[in-house]
Amino acid sequence: MRKLGAELESPDSGCCGMAGPFGFLEDKFEVSQAAGERVLLPAVRNAAPDTLIVADGFSCREQILQGTGKPAMHLAEVLKMALHHKNSSAES
């Protein structure tokens, strides 16, 4: 991403807390939320409105959306956007 000119911030968040179906289990929900609230979810909430949130795991993207209301994108989606933008700029 840096080679494409992106500015990155990668918080040391550990696990998002969802871990597949773990975060959906009634007896694990509080642990799941606590893991997400340790670093990741507050960082996403504090991100500027135009910041792209990137998470490769489906569970991580779901935890981020449910915990912050902000959608996260898969790295492949972001790379596609960047390459499309780069190609569009080159054609202009």
Side-chain angles (χ1 to χ4, degrees), residues 7-88:
E7 293 180 31
L8 304 175
E9 182 180 329
S10 183
D12 182 16
S13 62
C15 180
C16 72
M18 184 66 78
F22 178 88
F24 286 114
L25 299 173
E26 186 176 345
D27 63 331
K28 307 291 191 247
F29 182 77
E30 286 185 35
V31 172
S32 171
Q33 293 302 298
E37 291 295 344
R38 191 178 72 76
V39 175
L40 180 64
L41 298 179
V44 171
R45 283 188 206 101
N46 291 328
D50 61 346
T51 299
L52 293 179
I53 308 300
V54 181
D56 287 341
F58 171 81
S59 298
C60 295
R61 291 192 305 273
E62 188 63 26
Q63 181 83 318
I64 290 167
L65 180 62
Q66 288 187 23
T68 68
K70 294 183 179 185
M73 300 176 73
H74 190 280
L75 177 60
E77 295 174 297
V78 177
L79 289 172
K80 181 180 176 183
M81 282 177 43
L83 291 172
H84 177 74
H85 178 73
K86 183 178 178 183
N87 290 338
S88 294

